[in-house]
Amino acid sequence: MNAADAQPVRLTTVHWLILIIASIGFAFDIYELLMLPLIASSALSELLGVPLGDKSITTWIGNLAWGSAMVGGAIGLVGGWLTDRLGRRRVLTWSILIYATSAFASGFAQSVESLFVLRCLTFAGVCVEFVAAIAWLAELFPNPRQRETILGFTQAFSSLGGLLAAGIYGLIVVNSDRLPAIYGAHAPWRYMLMSGLLPALPLIVIRPFLPESPAWQAKRAAGQLRRPSFAELFAPGLRRTTIVTTILFACCYGAAFGAIQLGPTQILPGLPEMTAARTAQDEAKKQVAGMQAMIDQASADDPAGKAQMVDALKQLRKQVGAKGKPIEAARSRLQTFQEMGGLVGRFVLAVAALIIVSRRSLLQLFLVPGLILLPLVFVYPATRSLPQFEWGLAAVALCTVAQFSFWGNYLPRVFPLHLRGTGESFAANVGGRMIGTSASLITTRLAQVMPGDSQFTKVAYAAAAVGTFVYALALVVSFFLPEPHEKDLAD
């Protein structure tokens, strides 16, 4: 593409359909990923048979977040290469099918190991979908200003996916008793995971009929499409771009996974407003465990007595869910604040990208306030007040989530067509998913040695430390970020 000379594309019905489908795709990518912060504590508490404040939950949340990102990132890296080899549209379709079916199946998980495997598949599908969708949109709209606008505003729908996740989870919590029982209980986290199948259905049906990237297709038809190579990313002309974008993408994900996403799962239940509900739910779980032990020890010669205990166990399990509803409702509300902040950040980025010429300055517009806000929010409001934490988390999310949209705009401009999917995938998957998400593991491990009167406070302090570090590193490295060429790179 010679983007500098390209005229804006006149939007037809097909183009509008593409934009709608792309926006839905971005929204439900995030919907799938942000299920975990909402359901992790409850799911792990049930599958492990421990109370919410148990250290094993903190450990397993780190394992789930980082482990699934590592596996998903590795598969996503291959998916980016396949995007350059096989085409954008085909890879998009398969990626959606993978994450939708695995998300639905995870609602039937009976162990933490099976939940882990299925979350890996979900993460892999999302990792591939993001890279393929960005390359697809960038090449459908070659005019730079039009492309900046389209990429900025379609990616803003990612935060709507987060809001939708919070809203649907809130509805599920309220109405879970009306849904069919799964393994004899009405656990909201299972229904939430299963809901991941529904939004993907229209995407799977419509996307195969949308056009392929015209630039990629023209190169392939002419026999001029060069074979993508990971080694070429480290050739002299691209080495600095690859290394710097990978580090900065890692820092962006580090702030999100090492701090922000731990707010609803590992920090919220420790706030003063949640103490009564948490204590009541933990007591109900002890009663469930006691009744289960009695059933296991009951004599086979007394089937009637055992049946009565089984009925009592079902009632106790319902009490666990009922007593935990205040926490689940607060978690949904906190997630909503977080996603509202992220949505505002994406729109601010979309507008600022049209005004600020320097991409380096544009990125620093969000790094500087984020570096100040993150430690303040996680040291003070996160340990003292739910209302203050809601607004504080929204502000931190604004600064962090805007950076995700930044990368969607920036990366297509710095990698040539035959390497676009491969280069984007390396930065996003190796830097973001495989390295950046390890911040979750670091935070949950660091929490074990942090000061604090509860596990929740320790996680908040650890999140402040890790988040501050990655923001400071990103600010320093941002000064080395290459400015894109006026014209797109030649193939």
Side-chain angles (χ1 to χ4, degrees), residues 213-243:
S213 160
W216 182 90
Q217 196 167 39
K219 286 281 186 181
R220 188 184 192 190
Q224 299 174 346
L225 187 66
R226 294 167 56 187
R227 189 181 183 88
S229 166
F230 289 110
E232 193 175 347
L233 296 177
F234 295 91
L238 289 174
R239 184 186 301 127
R240 177 181 169 187
T241 297
T242 300
I243 294 173

Side-chain angles (χ1 to χ4, degrees), residues 365-485:
L365 176 68
F366 299 96
L367 288 175
V368 172
L371 178 59
I372 298 170
L373 285 170
L374 191 146
L376 290 177
V377 169
F378 280 88
V379 168
Y380 293 101
T383 59
R384 290 168 172 78
S385 167
L386 178 56
Q388 292 177 16
F389 188 37
E390 289 171 340
W391 287 104
L393 195 63
V396 175
L398 186 156
C399 297
T400 304
V401 175
Q403 296 173 51
F404 289 104
S405 284
F406 172 86
W407 293 116
N409 286 26
Y410 178 87
L411 291 174
R413 297 183 60 186
V414 293
F415 291 106
L417 186 144
H418 77 287
L419 279 178
R420 187 156 290 135
T422 307
E424 291 174 8
S425 183
F426 192 92
N429 291 315
V430 174
R433 276 76 182 236
M434 298 179 73
I435 298 175
T437 56
S438 66
S440 174
L441 192 67
I442 294 170
T443 299
T444 53
R445 296 297 187 273
L446 183 61
Q448 309 302 328
V449 297
M450 293 296 286
D453 55 2
S454 71
Q455 185 67 13
F456 307 107
T457 301
K458 292 179 179 181
V459 172
Y461 290 162
V466 172
T468 301
F469 172 78
V470 295
Y471 253 101
L473 177 62
L475 184 59
V476 172
V477 175
S478 69
F479 288 97
F480 298 92
L481 183 70
E483 293 291 346
H485 297 272

Side-chain angles (χ1 to χ4, degrees), residues 65 74 112 124 209 255 258 265 294 325 388 397 451 485:
V112 288
F209 299 99
T265 57
M294 291 174 62
K325 282 187 176 182
Q388 292 177 16
H485 297 272

Side-chain angles (χ1 to χ4, degrees), residues 100-180:
T101 54
S102 59
F104 180 80
S106 60
F108 295 93
Q110 291 185 280
S111 67
V112 288
E113 292 79 12
S114 60
L115 179 62
F116 175 80
V117 170
L118 291 166
R119 285 301 298 176
C120 285
L121 289 174
T122 302
F123 213 113
V126 171
C127 290
V128 175
E129 203 275 348
F130 171 80
V131 170
I134 291 293
W136 186 53
L137 281 177
E139 292 162 6
L140 285 168
F141 302 96
N143 177 267
R145 188 174 182 86
Q146 186 182 40
R147 184 175 59 204
E148 290 272 359
T149 302
I150 285 171
L151 285 173
F153 284 101
T154 52
Q155 287 183 93
F157 281 84
S158 294
S159 291
L160 288 181
L163 287 171
L164 188 60
I168 288 179
Y169 188 60
L171 288 174
I172 288 174
V173 169
V174 173
N175 298 287
S176 58
D177 291 342
R178 302 177 184 178
L179 298 172

Side-chain angles (χ1 to χ4, degrees), residues 235-302:
L238 289 174
R239 184 186 301 127
R240 177 181 169 187
T241 297
T242 300
I243 294 173
V244 171
T245 56
T246 299
I247 294 173
L248 288 172
F249 227 122
C251 291
C252 185
Y253 266 81
F257 277 74
I260 294 175
Q261 289 200 21
L262 294 174
T265 57
Q266 285 294 282
I267 297 173
L268 168 72
L271 289 167
E273 293 87 345
M274 298 291 102
T275 301
R278 189 181 72 251
T279 302
Q281 189 179 40
D282 288 346
E283 181 59 35
K285 287 179 180 178
K286 290 180 182 178
Q287 293 178 9
V288 167
M291 183 60 68
Q292 184 64 62
M294 291 174 62
I295 292 172
D296 294 340
Q297 296 173 5
S299 172
D301 297 332
D302 185 17

